[in-house]
Amino acid sequence: MLDETLTYALIKITKVHRYRIAAELSELGLHVGQEMLLNQLWREDGLSQSELISRLGVEPPTVTKALQRLERSGFVHRTPDPRRPRLSHVHLTEAGKALQRPVEEIWRKTDEELLAQLDPEDRRTITRLIGALWTCPSAEGETGLPKMTPCD
């Protein structure tokens, strides 16, 4: 049965925690998933829409819709590329930059809640094992889970 597999359990755990994250993000004026787009801009502000699509591994309409919402909320703005008029770059506003710390805190707190029932050694073990399972490149070109550390 599917519900007896590790994959099923991982998906269920992910869904529960994603719903918790979504609820907290909404208090910041964000829809679930928008923090992933913002995270790319926190790493490198001024990316083009096509760069965001590539890094996030999602369909173009998904990024277009997210950018429109983020723009309306005052978290990002787009500027045309002076050399290529059809290309625009996405930049964080001060309000968008200010979201980084609270969003990262939501994710950190979620990690703590997820791992709270484990002792420190088990936390390190699960972090190491999940890192080892991450063998294929992600949509963002990552070949592993960067800087993944357990909450002690």
Side-chain angles (χ1 to χ4, degrees):
M1 302 301 279
L2 296 179
D3 58 354
E4 296 171 355
T5 66
L6 175 60
T7 300
Y8 183 89
L10 290 172
I11 289 169
K12 294 299 274 187
I13 290 167
T14 301
K15 280 185 169 185
V16 167
H17 289 279
R18 193 68 173 140
Y19 289 134
R20 289 182 183 169
I21 288 172
E24 293 195 45
L25 289 175
S26 70
E27 294 176 14
L28 298 175
L30 294 172
H31 294 275
V32 71
Q34 290 177 334
E35 82 280 19
M36 301 303 222
L37 189 151
L38 289 170
N39 187 55
Q40 292 303 315
L41 295 173
W42 293 326
R43 288 176 182 219
E44 185 178 352
D45 199 9
L47 294 170
S48 69
Q49 190 164 330
S50 60
E51 288 170 320
L52 287 166
I53 291 164
S54 174
R55 290 181 184 203
L56 295 169
V58 296
E59 295 297 317
T62 303
V63 170
T64 299
K65 185 176 179 180
L67 284 175
Q68 289 169 344
R69 284 182 167 176
L70 288 168
E71 243 178 342
R72 282 194 304 271
S73 297
F75 299 132
V76 301
H77 66 92
R78 291 183 259 193
T79 58
D81 186 305
R83 295 168 295 182
R84 298 169 59 193
R86 296 187 67 198
L87 182 70
S88 65
H89 294 275
V90 182
H91 298 274
L92 292 161
T93 63
E94 289 305 314
K97 291 174 186 175
L99 287 173
Q100 183 174 359
R101 184 163 285 152
V103 168
E104 287 176 348
E105 179 61 22
I106 289 168
W107 278 71
R108 187 197 58 73
K109 186 176 82 175
T110 302
D111 271 3
E112 286 178 2
E113 290 170 4
L114 177 64
L115 299 173
Q117 58 199 346
L118 302 176
D119 64 47
E121 182 58 33
D122 286 342
R123 292 176 190 186
R124 285 187 287 279
T125 299
I126 196 167
T127 301
R128 181 181 55 77
L129 292 173
I130 288 175
L133 290 173
W134 190 292
T135 58
C136 61
S138 73
E140 297 155 354
E142 297 167 340
T143 55
L145 295 173
K147 298 169 87 174
M148 191 171 76
T149 55
C151 303
D152 292 314

